[in-house]
């Protein structure tokens, strides 16, 4: 360093012992040792013995020139050691190790005269063990294996510190300090994992609910189908019994199917009619071979005509308008209207209803004739 610039001095290490004085001023010949301490006695700088708690005579002394005293605490002391290192997944941590140790009375001389700074010696041994174990572990494993590291540290420190007159009672890894940003990141990772597990469990629950609902719907449909089948079977038996009248005549399958379809048709019309928001469109079937369709078409057309006549009679003050007689025509020729041509322009709606009524009556006549 440049001349005139003072170099900072390293701080003096704190020794484990302390200088003591005797009970009588200006002499150390008579001493009283406290219960939690032991004194080492030196005569002209040479160690001559250990004085345990109580009143003792250290030797002839003149103003402290002959006898000097040093005290050691027999209490168990705890030393906190912090070691910075890196884990296997490149996370920098600071391991906090608490070492609890005390002086061995039989080796108190070594505790006073062998070590200059106990703390530095502890840091060296603890750092050697911690930096050999943590870099081989991930961060999660390091937290899990703190007990293993504690046992390893105590195993190494015990024999080493016993050579210097100390007994290591416990060596505990009390904490692994991680940077706050790393802690937040780890918490966020755990949070996202928990959210993912919660989403998976919610999806599984929804899947189970959906499957159970589908199974319940399938069972309901199955039972409903069985009920409908039993209902139709009962209807068929009732129709067969009512038509046969108790005799031995048997109805064909086609006759029973036609009756059943007609019954279901009218039941459907009844169900539709009970719903106020329903609209029904009737599509007539002109198939001459379909007797059921002709019956339904005739009934519907007759109902339309009846409603129209009721509305016309109500509009005309209660007078009922006579309806034209149906004309006999050839079965292959189209029906002719009895309305005069000059009134078709004004009574087009009347003509349509009358034609429908005539066509329905003609079809019924043809069916009776056949």
């Amino acid at each position: 360093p440049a001349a005139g610039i003072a170099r900072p001095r390293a701080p003096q290490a704190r020794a484990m012992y302390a200088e003591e004085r005797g009970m009588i001023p200006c002499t150390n010949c008579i001493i009283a040792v406290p219960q939690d301490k032991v004194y080492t006695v030196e005569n002209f700088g040479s160690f001559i013995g250990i004085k345990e708690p109580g009143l003792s005579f250290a030797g002839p002394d003149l103003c402290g020139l002959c006898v000097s005293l040093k005290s050691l605490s027999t209490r168990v002391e705890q030393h906190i050691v912090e070691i910075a290192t890196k884990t296997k997944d490149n996370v920098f941590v600071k391991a906090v190790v608490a070492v609890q140790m005390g002086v061995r009375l039989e080796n108190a001389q070594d505790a006073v005269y062998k070590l200059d700074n106990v703390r530095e010696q502890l840091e060296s041994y603890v750092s050697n063990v911690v930096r050999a174990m943590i870099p081989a572990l991930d961060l999660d494993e390091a937290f899990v294996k703190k007990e293993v590291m504690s046992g390893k540290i105590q195993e190494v420190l015990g024999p080493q510190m016993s050579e210097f007159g100390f007994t290591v009672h416990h060596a505990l890894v009390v904490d692994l300090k991680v940077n706050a940003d790393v802690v937040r990141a780890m918490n966020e990772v755990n949070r996202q994992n928990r959210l993912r597990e919660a989403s998976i469990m919610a999806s599984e629950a929804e899947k189970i609910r959906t499957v159970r609902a589908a199974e319940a719907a399938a069972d309901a449909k199955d039972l409903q189908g069985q009920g409908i089948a039993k209902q139709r079977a009962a209807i068929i038996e009732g129709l067969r019994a009512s038509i046969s009248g108790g005799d031995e005549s048997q109805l064909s399958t086609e006759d029973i199917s036609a009756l059943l379809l007609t019954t279901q048709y009218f039941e459907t019309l009844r169900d539709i009619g009970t719903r106020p928001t329903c609209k029904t469109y009737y599509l007539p079937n002109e198939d001459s071979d379909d007797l059921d369709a002709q019956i339904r078409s005739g009934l519907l057309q007759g109902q339309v005509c009846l409603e129209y006549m009721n509305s016309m009679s109500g509009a005309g003050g209660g007078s009922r308008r006579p309806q034209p007689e149906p004309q006999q025509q050839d079965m292959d020729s189209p029906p002719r209207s009895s309305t005069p041509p000059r009134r078709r322009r004004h009574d087009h709606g009347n003509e349509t209803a009358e034609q429908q009524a005539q066509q329905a009556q003609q079809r019924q006549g043809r069916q009776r004739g056949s």
Side-chain angles (χ1 to χ4, degrees), residues 31-248:
I31 57 176
V33 181
Q35 181 64 36
D36 60 343
K37 292 182 180 180
V38 293
Y39 283 10
T40 61
V41 181
E42 298 176 357
N43 190 7
F44 294 101
S46 175
F47 174 78
I48 61 175
I50 300 292
K51 296 299 181 180
E52 295 183 356
L55 184 63
S56 301
F57 178 74
D61 181 47
L62 179 61
C63 297
L65 299 177
C66 301
V67 177
S68 59
L69 305 172
K70 294 179 182 179
S71 65
L72 278 175
S73 176
T74 58
R75 295 185 178 184
V76 176
E77 297 183 358
Q78 177 170 288
H79 301 270
I80 301 297
V81 182
E82 296 185 356
I83 302 97
T85 183
K86 185 181 70 170
T87 62
K88 185 178 180 180
D89 49 354
N90 298 324
V91 178
F92 286 90
V93 297
K94 184 178 288 186
V96 181
V97 182
V99 180
Q100 300 170 355
M101 67 181 189
V103 176
R104 301 176 64 179
L105 295 179
E106 61 272 17
N107 295 334
Q109 180 182 358
D110 296 335
V112 174
Y113 298 106
K114 281 192 174 182
L115 280 181
D116 181 52
N117 191 314
V118 178
R119 183 176 183 83
E120 290 183 356
Q121 192 73 18
L122 286 176
E123 288 181 354
S124 299
Y125 288 125
V126 173
S127 176
N128 184 38
V129 177
V130 170
R131 288 176 178 167
M133 293 188 65
I134 291 183
L137 304 174
D138 292 334
L139 183 60
D140 295 337
E141 295 178 349
F143 277 99
V144 172
K145 295 184 177 181
K146 288 195 298 183
E147 293 293 334
V148 178
M149 286 189 288
S150 298
K152 186 66 175 178
I153 292 171
Q154 185 171 354
E155 180 182 347
V156 172
L157 281 179
Q160 297 293 336
M161 296 304 294
S162 64
E163 297 179 2
F164 303 106
F166 294 96
T167 300
V168 178
H169 298 282
H170 299 286
L172 306 175
V173 180
V174 295
D175 192 13
L176 291 176
K177 296 181 179 180
V178 188
N179 187 275
D181 295 335
V182 178
V183 173
R184 284 193 295 269
M186 293 174 63
N187 292 335
E188 184 65 22
V189 170
N190 292 329
R191 176 176 174 271
Q192 295 298 330
N193 290 334
R194 297 295 184 272
L195 290 175
R196 182 180 63 182
E197 292 178 0
S199 300
I200 293 174
M201 295 180 67
S203 301
E204 291 293 334
E206 184 64 25
K207 175 183 177 182
I208 293 173
R209 284 195 295 267
T210 303
V211 171
R212 294 301 183 215
E215 291 177 353
D219 294 339
K221 294 295 184 181
D222 186 18
L223 295 175
Q224 183 180 6
Q226 294 178 10
I228 293 174
K230 292 179 180 179
Q231 178 187 14
R232 291 182 178 179
I235 292 173
I236 291 173
E237 292 296 331
L239 291 175
R240 181 184 289 112
S242 61
I243 293 176
S244 62
D247 56 5
E248 298 180 355

